[in-house]
Amino acid sequence: MTVTDSLKVAMLGGGVVGSQVARLMAENADDLAARAGARLELVGVAVRDASRPRDGIDGALLTDDPAALVARDDVDIVIEVMGGLEPTADLLLAAMSHGSSVVSANKALIATEGPMLHAAAENNSVDLYYEAAVAGAIPLLRPLRESLVGDRVRRVLGIVNGTTNYILTKMDEEGAAYDDVLAEAQRLGYAEADPTADVEGLDAAAKAAILAGLAFHSSVSLDQVSCEGISRLSQDDIAAAREAGFVVKLLAVAELVGDADGEGPEAGIVVRVHPAMVPRSHPLASVRDAYNAVFVEAEAAGQVMFYGRGAGGEPTASAILGDVVAVARNRLAGRPGPGRSDYAGLTVLPLGRATTRYAVSLVVHDRPGALAAVAQVFADGGVSLQSVRQEGGLEEGVPDAGLVVRTHLANEADLRAVVERLRALDEVKEIAGVIRVEGGPDL
Ligand code: NAP
Ligand code: HSE
């Protein structure tokens, strides 16, 4: 097949992801041309230091002037793998105003400035695609936007950050130290430029916002996602979960709440990111290293699971090139692909409206009535207990006992109120930890 058309592609960023995009574009040029219907010609790569050679990128393409690159009227597609909010947002607005379609891997930007960027794409009749922004290589956004568009999604739940999953896997399986494994994740190209975004849950929260927006046809921004990372987890927390038959994972959850259909005056969605204990028998427990996995639960389809490499230059480049081919086809067809859909306008509700299970670890004075007093606080707060495990105490010659109380499904606000009342109880010496438990029989 001879392809005579060609499309010009500019790239912002030539780091971990950008260098792999450039390499694959060159290595697979003939196949990509046949699939897109036009040859994809890389005409420039903007980096901070254009004097530094990069594997996989022709040195003649490097420039340190991204503004000039996006101002070119002959560029059809701009790939953004530069990261950050500024000057990136302005560069993408400039690119679209010059008629270029945009393919981005930048979840922080999309979760923060998505509405503005989508509006610019619509106004300029160009595409804004960002499959690579969520869960690396895994095709997830297009299935949500297209394949599941005929169904009603009720819940999206999964592991969407490769760095933290890598860290938690190594801590769980090898007892490795947090700082050592984080450094290794950075070396492997999984972590963000500032890894705080990974370990504090912000990267996963940005992805959760994007997933929630697509799944529920509503506008969800990063600041509406309740977010707790893994930096406060200790090796003891992970070992205790292990002993109880669980593994700790950083989960992103977006779900309808309200009446049974997610409807009614109090209805909306809750979007949350936090560490959670997952039973070892659950499929998410076997998602190891930098892999990601996402369950989508839809009314008619039931559960659909997506699994694959969630981070790293090459897997991410795969998702980017998928978008580039899709965008190229749209340009050749003379019209942009499907844009955003936020017609449902669901309210993003506070974390207090979430319902899940909890494990509360307490240190209590081991004396008659202590367990009963603790149980009474849960009962008064309307939180039903699933199990209670006691360790230590007078029988082992110490005055205090460790209690781990696991609950049935409970409302987050109710659980928080119970924890506050427990803190004030004479029998309770310390609340050692509260962690959510996901992946029960209803997942
Ligand atoms: P990276 O290795 O730090 O690369 C960033 C690139 O952008 C570098 O080439 C850098 O130039 C260039 N750059 C940054 N700021 C610039 C500026 N103001 N002007 C010109 N060039 C600039 O980052 P990465 O890991 O490839 O990630 C890039 C994006 O992809 C981020 O949005 C990230 O969230 C996203 N992403 C990454 C992964 C992953 O696994 N790494 C996966 C999915 C999505 P220099 O090289 O000269 O510093
Ligand atoms: N830092 C991100 C992660 C890259 O670890 O998942 C992929 O988005």
Side-chain angles (χ1 to χ4, degrees):
M1 175 178 179
T2 309
V3 177
T4 49
D5 280 341
S6 89
L7 292 173
K8 289 188 169 41
V9 179
M11 187 154 68
L12 303 178
V16 171
V17 179
S19 57
Q20 293 303 315
V21 172
R23 180 182 67 78
L24 291 171
M25 273 182 78
E27 281 179 18
N28 303 334
D30 290 344
D31 287 324
L32 290 171
R35 294 171 195 176
R39 294 201 76 79
L40 303 172
E41 186 195 347
L42 190 59
V43 297
V45 178
V47 290
R48 271 185 292 236
D49 178 3
S51 66
R52 185 160 63 81
R54 322 241 156 193
D55 282 346
I57 304 180
D58 176 354
L61 295 178
L62 294 174
T63 169
D64 59 8
D65 190 351
L69 194 55
V70 297
R72 281 176 59 161
D73 286 323
D74 62 338
V75 167
D76 297 281
I77 302 170
V78 169
I79 299 172
E80 188 271 300
V81 281
M82 183 168 124
L85 303 184
E86 284 302 341
T88 323
D90 285 342
L91 290 169
L92 296 191
L93 290 175
M96 291 191 271
S97 74
H98 283 87
S100 305
S101 285
V102 167
V103 171
S104 173
N106 191 337
K107 51 266 165 165
L109 180 63
I110 301 295
T112 311
E113 301 292 359
M116 178 187 73
L117 294 170
H118 273 292
E122 280 158 29
N123 292 339
N124 292 290
S125 297
V126 296
D127 284 318
L128 170 64
Y129 279 26
Y130 39 86
E131 183 66 65
V134 182
I138 307 174
L140 182 55
L141 304 193
R142 196 165 293 120
L144 275 174
R145 190 184 276 129
E146 297 178 17
S147 320
L148 287 163
V149 74
D151 209 333
R152 292 186 64 191
V153 175
R154 308 184 64 82
R155 190 175 198 220
V156 180
L157 176 147
I159 295 166
V160 294
N161 182 269
T163 302
T164 48
N165 204 50
Y166 185 80
I167 294 173
L168 292 172
T169 304
K170 298 289 178 199
M171 287 176 79
D172 175 57
E173 294 180 2
E174 298 168 18
Y178 175 90
D179 288 337
D180 294 348
V181 205
L182 172 57
E184 182 66 2
Q186 288 178 280
R187 196 188 60 75
L188 291 167
Y190 302 151
E192 295 303 298
D194 176 0
T196 315
D198 294 294
V199 297
E200 296 303 346
L202 287 168
D203 177 82
K207 292 165 177 169
I210 295 171
L211 287 173
L214 284 169
F216 300 112
H217 299 271
S218 297
S219 186
V220 182
S221 62
L222 176 56
D223 58 5
Q224 293 175 302
V225 181
S226 140
C227 173
E228 187 186 321
I230 66 162
S231 62
R232 277 180 293 169
L233 284 176
S234 67
Q235 185 57 256
D236 285 351
D237 296 324
I238 286 164
R242 185 181 184 80
E243 218 170 274
F246 290 82
V247 60
V248 178
K249 295 289 185 190
L250 183 73
L251 296 187
V253 186
E255 60 199 343
L256 280 178
V257 298
D259 65 15
D261 288 325
E263 289 171 354
E266 302 275 294
I269 46 182
V270 177
V271 193
R272 52 192 165 102
V273 166
H274 50 71
M277 291 192 347
V278 176
R280 287 212 174 250
S281 54
H282 189 275
L284 283 178
S286 52
V287 177
R288 300 173 59 252
D289 295 337
Y291 279 80
N292 286 184
V294 176
F295 280 93
V296 178
E297 200 178 297
E299 212 165 88
Q303 280 183 5
V304 184
M305 182 175 173
F306 299 84
Y307 171 80
R309 289 184 187 276
E314 201 173 16
T316 307
S318 163
I320 286 171
L321 288 173
D323 274 356
V324 168
V325 169
V327 165
R329 288 173 178 160
N330 293 342
R331 281 186 91 83
L332 295 174
R335 42 119 194 91
R340 86 187 138 157
S341 162
D342 57 7
Y343 76 93
L346 292 178
T347 308
V348 183
L349 299 167
L351 180 63
R353 293 288 306 281
T355 299
T356 187
R357 297 178 175 78
Y358 301 83
V360 182
S361 305
L362 311 132
V363 181
V364 298
H365 299 292
D366 193 7
R367 58 192 184 210
L371 185 55
V374 166
Q376 192 60 49
V377 172
F378 279 90
D380 292 346
V383 176
S384 173
L385 303 189
Q386 197 228 330
S387 69
V388 180
R389 194 161 55 94
Q390 177 170 339
E391 272 172 7
L394 292 174
E395 293 232 330
E396 292 176 26
V398 284
D400 305 325
L403 282 187
V404 180
V405 179
R406 294 228 316 270
T407 75
H408 286 300
L409 278 179
N411 170 265
E412 175 93 15
D414 292 345
L415 191 279
R416 277 196 222 157
V418 163
V419 170
E420 283 320 303
R421 269 178 250 135
L422 286 172
R423 267 188 226 288
L425 206 65
D426 281 348
E427 284 77 0
V428 173
K429 214 176 152 192
E430 184 191 342
I431 308 279
V434 179
I435 185 163
R436 296 166 189 87
V437 182
E438 299 281 349
D442 50 343
L443 179 76

